[in-house]
Amino acid sequence: MSETEDTFISHLIEMRDRLLRAVLAVVIIFVCLFPWAQDIYALLARPLLAALPKGGQMIATEITTPFFVPMKVTMMAAFLLALPWVFYQAWAFVAPGLYQHEKRIGVPLVIASVILFLTGMAFAYFLVFPLVFHFIVSVTPTGVAVMTDIGKYLDFVLTMFLAFGITFEVPIAVVLLVKMGMVSVAKLREIRPYVIVGAFVIGAIFTPPDVISQFMLATPLWILYELGIIVAAMISKPKPESDYSPMSDSDMDDEFDRIEAGQVDPASRKQD
């Protein structure tokens, strides 16, 4: 077996071990949270239940959903709690292959990405959900009872969490694009109007068909884009230009002539 194959197999073994550690952490946390699965789902459903009229409730239209939906929510909570450990395992796997300057910027970016994603989810839960659900209930026709299926509610919540979590990652994406040299800060500022329009288009696609939720997704996306530009400009300041400029052909000829004429000592010129 060649050295290349040996190295490849060792990398595969290390990746398997770190993946198992990450999965094991999620499973352990899930088992610990399992007794409170119903309470965790009730916490997730609180924004909708608070918006429903008096006596309103959620329903289960399938036989297994009362069991599996709380389990899915608990698994999601376990993954979020284990996220720092999962990212650490991923970082420990890729870090040996990075340069020192890549490691210096990699750690802050990984930490910031986790914090921003969780912040996006919290923004959706505490600010977006109450406004959206109260709006939906307020426009419900007379005589119509709002009783959402718990499975459909979970799908909606996960979609919103993902949309807002990814939206809050915009500064990380902007910084990486600038750091890798794929785009300049000046170009990012130039395309600002297109980004604003795109933010509202994304808000219309990934949020319910109401203006409030669209604005609440598009506005943070725009603000975070501006924040990314500011951070990228701070960490990618141009290096000061050197005063050195190469000699032209005529300058070199004149210098050689002076050396041959004894006007310039070659040794002193070399030291200069």
Side-chain angles (χ1 to χ4, degrees), residues 38-62:
Q38 301 295 334
D39 297 328
I40 295 173
Y41 180 80
L43 183 65
L44 184 70
R46 182 178 295 175
L48 177 59
L49 294 175
L52 292 177
K54 187 176 181 180
Q57 59 184 350
M58 301 177 71
I59 61 174
T61 56
E62 297 181 8

Side-chain angles (χ1 to χ4, degrees), residues 145-245:
V146 180
M147 294 187 295
T148 303
D149 176 69
I150 59 175
K152 297 294 176 98
Y153 176 75
L154 178 61
D155 294 339
F156 170 81
V157 166
L158 291 179
T159 301
M160 295 291 284
F161 278 163
L162 188 62
F164 279 88
I166 293 176
T167 296
F168 274 65
E169 297 291 334
V170 167
I172 304 297
V174 171
V175 170
L176 286 176
L177 288 174
V178 174
K179 198 66 179 175
M180 291 187 296
M182 299 180 65
V183 66
S184 65
V185 175
K187 187 65 177 178
L188 291 173
R189 290 171 177 155
E190 181 183 338
I191 63 174
R192 180 182 286 119
Y194 303 100
V195 172
I196 296 173
V197 174
F200 281 92
V201 172
I202 293 173
I205 294 174
F206 289 100
T207 59
D210 64 277
V211 178
I212 297 176
S213 57
Q214 182 182 1
F215 267 86
M216 295 193 73
L217 179 63
T219 304
L221 199 158
W222 175 23
I223 295 174
L224 291 166
Y225 177 79
E226 299 292 342
L227 176 62
I229 292 177
I230 294 173
V231 175
M234 292 173 58
I235 67 174
S236 61
K237 292 181 179 179
K239 297 180 180 179
E241 296 183 359
S242 174
D243 294 334
Y244 170 77
S245 60

Side-chain angles (χ1 to χ4, degrees), residues 39-85:
D39 297 328
I40 295 173
Y41 180 80
L43 183 65
L44 184 70
R46 182 178 295 175
L48 177 59
L49 294 175
L52 292 177
K54 187 176 181 180
Q57 59 184 350
M58 301 177 71
I59 61 174
T61 56
E62 297 181 8
I63 296 176
T64 58
T65 50
F67 173 78
F68 282 111
V69 169
M71 293 302 101
K72 292 178 182 178
V73 175
T74 306
M75 180 62 73
M76 180 185 70
F79 176 76
L80 291 176
L81 290 175
L83 200 57
W85 177 253

